[in-house]
Amino acid sequence: QDNRVSIWSVGDLGNAGLNGEYQGEPQLLCDIRHNGDVMDMQFLDQERIVVASSTGTVTVFRHHQNNQTLSANQRWEKAHYHVDQDTSCGGAACTGVICNNPEIVTVGEDGRINLFRADQKDAVRTIDNADSSTLHAVTFLRTIEILTVNSIGQLKIWDLRQQQNEPSQILSLTGDRVPLHCVDRHPNQQHIVATGGQDGMLSIWDIRQGTMPVSLLNAHEAEMWEVHFHPSNPDHLFTCSEDGSLWHWDTSTDVSEKPSFLHQGGRSTTYFSHNSVNQSVVSAWLSNDPTKDRMEITNLIPNQTLSVNSLDILGPCLVYGTDAEAIYVNRQLIA
């Protein structure tokens, strides 16, 4: 009923114990009330956080580091709505937000895409009927190009410079129109995209060619809620699921000779080979030689019970949140 946005300090890496566990309690620095469920959030810069609400409102909170407080810096009321913006009950959940300072893009259950700028009161651009189904997530491909995923298994690419309200490209899962919940773009190769959805499968796409994924990989037993390439080491990818698992996918070369640097207890590593159709790309995610290209998959939560709803990763540090109302920090991810 009463939701909050909170900022925590989890200490520095120097305090990590031998097994990567943080020594000492995380500190709650500050928090602030939030109207509606928090559907998504992302830092815009060092001080500002953009938060998507189930009420359809998008808020920019500022973190004042000198006195450790949070304040609402800017708010777009009912950026997403079903009927019209003025009715009291007309809000539609804002399901996803992505920032590329000063630009902020939001998507929602109303199939609408908004482009905001951090210091402007009105939307820079709105595509009202971008989708007839729910848009679940969005990411930037380039500064002017975004990619959305929807509840009928489609990826759509939008060029924000174009005035027409049509996607420049549509890709889709064939057969069952499985809802897609999450998307991430490879940090160095902008044509490589990973998505996950209702059936727990991981799909890898090459948006330069074809309209179907180049790889479909069996992953989780329930919905995949989040997928992330490691920002500086994109041979590593992380996915988490309603089934309580969090998988680390490692395609860095020659798995067999590598020392294992992953989670000690309860390893469940499988080697996959996956086939693909493109020979010209060096990326392991699209590689076409299955003997050379083996993938190591490790579940980082061996005793899974409750849904893992969200994850993020930076350097050797993985953070994830679960239905146990707990946030976990694993600091010893990649040696």
Side-chain angles (χ1 to χ4, degrees):
Q1 295 303 307
D2 179 21
N3 295 306
R4 307 187 81 76
V5 171
S6 311
I7 297 218
W8 296 79
S9 163
V10 291
D12 56 47
L13 288 167
N15 286 352
L18 288 174
N19 58 353
E21 293 303 305
Y22 172 62
Q23 307 299 303
E25 289 294 306
Q27 295 290 309
L28 176 63
L29 298 179
C30 49
D31 64 358
I32 192 168
R33 280 205 58 185
H34 180 268
N35 195 8
D37 294 344
V38 174
M39 304 296 286
D40 197 8
M41 57 181 168
Q42 198 184 30
F43 278 98
L44 177 69
D45 54 26
Q46 290 291 319
E47 294 186 334
R48 290 177 294 178
I49 307 126
V50 184
V51 183
S53 170
S54 58
T55 64
T57 294
V58 177
T59 311
V60 183
F61 291 104
R62 187 179 284 279
H63 176 211
H64 306 274
Q65 287 158 356
N66 51 356
N67 61 358
Q68 291 304 347
T69 56
L70 273 168
S71 65
N73 182 238
Q74 192 164 0
R75 186 174 278 131
W76 293 285
E77 295 285 349
K78 289 207 191 127
H80 294 273
Y81 55 91
H82 284 306
V83 190
D84 63 75
Q85 250 169 322
D86 305 325
T87 50
S88 58
C89 59
C94 177
T95 50
V97 52
I98 192 87
C99 304
N100 185 12
N101 194 4
E103 256 96 34
I104 299 162
V105 174
T106 69
V107 296
E109 278 181 6
D110 52 357
R112 195 173 263 107
I113 298 173
N114 291 305
L115 171 63
F116 296 109
R117 272 209 189 93
D119 303 312
Q120 292 186 17
K121 237 176 73 155
D122 297 319
V124 180
R125 175 94 199 272
T126 295
I127 304 176
D128 271 328
N129 299 309
D131 215 297
S132 54
S133 62
T134 296
L135 290 169
H136 281 141
V138 58
T139 191
F140 275 100
L141 286 178
R142 298 185 185 75
T143 36
I144 40 76
E145 245 185 352
I146 58 165
L147 178 78
T148 57
V149 295
N150 69 12
S151 59
I152 55 170
Q154 292 175 321
L155 285 72
K156 294 185 181 179
I157 298 172
W158 306 84
D159 185 334
L160 295 173
R161 291 168 309 187
Q162 301 299 328
Q163 279 319 297
Q164 72 263 32
N165 295 342
E166 298 296 324
S168 54
Q169 200 177 335
I170 299 180
L171 304 94
S172 66
L173 294 165
T174 49
D176 303 334
R177 301 212 150 213
V178 178
L180 292 170
H181 291 305
C182 52
V183 58
D184 197 29
R185 186 205 81 198
H186 191 291
N188 315 334
Q189 302 189 16
Q190 294 168 330
H191 52 276
I192 300 176
V193 170
T195 63
Q198 194 82 33
D199 58 1
M201 298 277 281
L202 172 64
S203 306
I204 306 291
W205 309 71
D206 180 350
I207 60 174
R208 299 169 310 179
Q209 49 158 40
T211 56
M212 287 153 52
V214 289
S215 306
L216 277 172
L217 300 162
N218 275 314
H220 303 278
E221 289 161 20
E223 293 91 343
M224 186 190 294
W225 291 131
E226 193 104 64
V227 56
H228 274 298
F229 286 102
H230 192 291
S232 53
N233 201 341
D235 284 349
H236 300 266
L237 178 100
F238 298 83
T239 59
C240 64
S241 167
E242 180 71 29
D243 68 10
S245 59
L246 193 161
W247 285 17
H248 174 179
W249 306 70
D250 178 1
T251 64
S252 51
T253 46
D254 205 8
V255 165
S256 53
E257 291 175 15
K258 266 195 337 214
S260 166
F261 49 72
L262 279 158
H263 214 266
Q264 324 60 268
R267 298 200 36 164
S268 57
T269 297
T270 14
Y271 293 96
F272 266 68
S273 59
H274 67 279
N275 53 2
S276 175
V277 286
N278 187 354
Q279 286 113 50
S280 63
V281 180
V282 276
S283 167
W285 293 106
L286 304 181
S287 165
N288 69 313
D289 178 358
T291 52
K292 167 167 113 314
D293 165 38
R294 295 198 302 170
M295 186 163 357
E296 186 177 27
I297 300 168
T298 308
N299 181 13
L300 299 181
I301 313 176
N303 318 326
Q304 58 214 51
T305 48
L306 296 167
S307 173
V308 184
N309 301 320
S310 186
L311 72 92
D312 207 354
I313 171 117
L314 188 66
C317 210
L318 169 76
V319 59
Y320 57 96
T322 76
D323 266 359
E325 297 186 17
I327 297 165
Y328 297 87
V329 181
N330 176 340
R331 304 173 169 276
Q332 213 200 1
L333 214 52
I334 292 180

